[in-house]
Amino acid sequence: MIFVSHEVTVNEPGQPRLDRAAVWEGLVLKANNALPFVASMSDCKVVERYNDACFDRDIRIREDDFRERITLEEPHRVVFTRLSGPVLGTIANEIEGEGDDLRLRFSFALVLAGIPGNSEAEESYAENMTGEYIQALNGTLNAMRRVAADSAA
């Protein structure tokens, strides 16, 4: 199993200030359409809504197709549960802290189908995935900051 957790500070000097509501809004936008947030994703489509806080989406990352169930836990966490695809598991995007000490944490626990745990193949995938995941975290925060800057203009 691959487990990674990484956090970034939301409000850095020289960047637009984001409050919890703005960060939450950004996470909800990303859950519904991750294309502006995740560079390695080429397709993202909501396929079924169960209620306001739970829906399924189909995504394509590089050449792999996945179905994810999205659970919105307002105002602090979005959980992505992989239902199908070559990599299964859970991804969480969480808002931590208060006021000017807000942080955005992305964590994932994933299993590669057909690949033994603690193998070279799993370790190699984990290295690549971790780099892409941190890029997605930074891309998400930067997209939120662009929205805030556009709203202030």
Side-chain angles (χ1 to χ4, degrees), residues 15-116:
Q15 297 292 338
R17 186 182 183 290
L18 302 173
D19 61 12
R20 180 175 288 271
V23 176
W24 177 252
E25 181 180 329
L27 289 180
V28 171
L29 289 171
K30 178 178 172 270
N32 281 279
N33 180 14
L35 296 178
F37 300 88
V38 182
S40 62
M41 189 177 292
S42 60
D43 192 33
C44 182
K45 180 178 164 186
V46 173
V47 294
E48 188 162 358
R49 289 197 183 272
Y50 302 102
N51 57 51
D52 290 342
C54 185
F55 57 91
D56 289 350
R57 71 181 191 180
D58 287 342
I59 62 171
R60 184 168 188 81
I61 300 175
R62 288 173 305 286
E63 59 277 344
D64 294 324
D65 295 317
F66 301 91
R67 176 155 292 180
E68 295 179 323
R69 173 141 314 138
I70 312 302
T71 306
L72 305 174
E73 299 177 14
E74 188 173 359
H76 62 281
R77 180 183 305 118
V78 178
V79 178
F80 306 80
T81 304
R82 292 263 172 96
L83 302 175
S84 66
V87 182
L88 301 177
T90 303
I91 300 167
N93 296 181
E94 299 176 276
I95 306 168
E96 298 180 342
E98 296 296 329
D100 286 333
D101 185 36
L102 286 179
R103 296 171 312 282
L104 189 55
R105 175 179 297 281
F106 282 15
S107 302
F108 63 82
L110 302 173
V111 176
L112 301 171
I115 303 293

Side-chain angles (χ1 to χ4, degrees), residues 10-18 141-142 145-146:
V10 170
N11 293 308
E12 295 179 351
Q15 297 292 338
R17 186 182 183 290
L18 302 173
L141 186 54
N142 288 334
R145 289 172 175 157
R146 281 193 302 276

Side-chain angles (χ1 to χ4, degrees), residues 126-136:
E127 280 183 35
N128 292 333
M129 177 72 173
T130 299
E132 288 183 15
Y133 200 64
I134 291 171
Q135 284 181 326

